[in-house]
Amino acid sequence: WQRAVFAANGFTDAHLALIRHSFRPSLSSRKKAGAPPLVIGFACRGAPEKGLDLLINAFERLSRKDFILDLAVIRTGSWKGYLKELLARTEGKPNIRWTFDASAAEMEDFYNRIHVLCVPSVGFETGPFVMFEAVARDIPVVASDLGGMKEWAELGYPVTTYPFDNPQVLAIRLASIVPDKRLGLRQPMWRSVESVAREMMNIYSQTD
């Protein structure tokens, strides 16, 4: 999708090279029982463009006591009002859990306890990085259909998408998830870091 953006702005094929990312799968062993509750994770900055309010909206539509929404949020000063409003909205709801500014060890615990990661961004994402972290740990992802997220789904990664501004469809996607079951999508062949490095060296060693 980024290549299409460059092309729309006048870059020719001679100026562009597409190189897929590489990362190591199975970063941690993840064994869970298939029984409820199902834990839906969100890990990102608490910024409006990350769509956290939309995710909470969708989760509330589910009205499921056997689902947990696990939020690992990075706080920054410019979004205090936004987060304050969401905290007030979810106060007293035991199945919505908040963690702020988690350490690396706490994030590892986060990934070990969730069944699915939700990426509800309402703006274009180049990855995002949390999607890499989830897929590398064999955790399926539900994401909005923008940018790299839609492309990941089309490439066959364990990613399913929904219309980015539609909490009702997101709720339907979340309701259909079964713990410890993949989303019925094939897993593409992993690319080694070495193969990506060779591809980069080849591209940058070319001369006009």
Side-chain angles (χ1 to χ4, degrees):
W1 76 270
Q2 289 177 306
R3 181 169 59 183
V5 171
F6 278 116
N9 283 276
F11 288 81
T12 68
D13 287 343
H15 297 117
L16 303 173
L18 174 63
I19 302 175
R20 299 283 181 200
H21 289 289
S22 173
F23 52 97
R24 187 183 301 277
S26 302
L27 295 180
S28 64
S29 177
R30 186 172 152 272
K31 303 291 184 183
K32 293 189 179 77
L38 183 138
V39 183
I40 301 164
F42 169 92
C44 209
R45 292 179 289 115
E49 64 267 21
K50 298 301 181 181
L52 179 53
D53 57 309
L54 188 143
L55 172 56
I56 291 173
N57 185 336
F59 186 78
E60 291 172 338
R61 288 170 181 262
L62 288 173
S63 298
R64 293 279 297 268
K65 293 182 179 180
D66 57 339
F67 280 43
I68 291 174
L69 185 58
D70 200 328
L71 309 173
V73 177
I74 299 172
R75 291 179 291 193
T76 63
S78 57
W79 304 308
K80 280 185 177 179
Y82 175 74
L83 286 178
K84 185 177 179 180
E85 180 180 333
L86 294 180
L87 281 166
R89 177 175 167 181
T90 59
E91 187 176 1
K93 297 182 178 180
N95 60 340
I96 299 180
R97 306 186 301 211
W98 291 82
T99 301
F100 291 105
D101 307 321
S103 65
E106 288 171 328
M107 285 306 301
E108 194 62 41
D109 289 340
F110 166 83
Y111 284 116
N112 284 334
R113 66 179 179 255
I114 68 172
H115 294 100
V116 62
L117 180 75
C118 187
V119 185
S121 298
V122 294
F124 284 84
E125 298 275 8
T126 55
F129 188 72
V130 291
M131 191 180 298
F132 284 80
E133 293 184 326
V135 171
R137 290 167 172 81
D138 204 32
I139 300 170
V141 177
V142 175
S144 59
D145 60 350
L146 297 174
M149 298 174 291
K150 181 180 180 182
E151 193 164 338
W152 274 55
E154 293 170 346
L155 289 170
Y157 285 92
V159 177
T160 187
T161 61
Y162 68 93
F164 74 95
D165 58 350
N166 195 323
Q168 183 175 356
V169 176
L170 174 55
I172 293 171
R173 296 283 189 276
L174 295 175
S176 67
I177 295 167
V178 178
D180 291 326
K181 297 274 187 173
R182 303 302 295 277
L183 299 179
L185 303 174
R186 65 182 175 84
Q187 186 70 28
M189 184 180 295
W190 294 100
R191 301 186 67 208
S192 69
V193 174
E194 291 77 14
S195 68
V196 175
R198 286 193 296 270
E199 189 174 357
M200 294 287 288
M201 290 293 292
N202 180 58
I203 289 172
Y204 282 100
S205 64
Q206 293 177 8
T207 57
D208 294 328

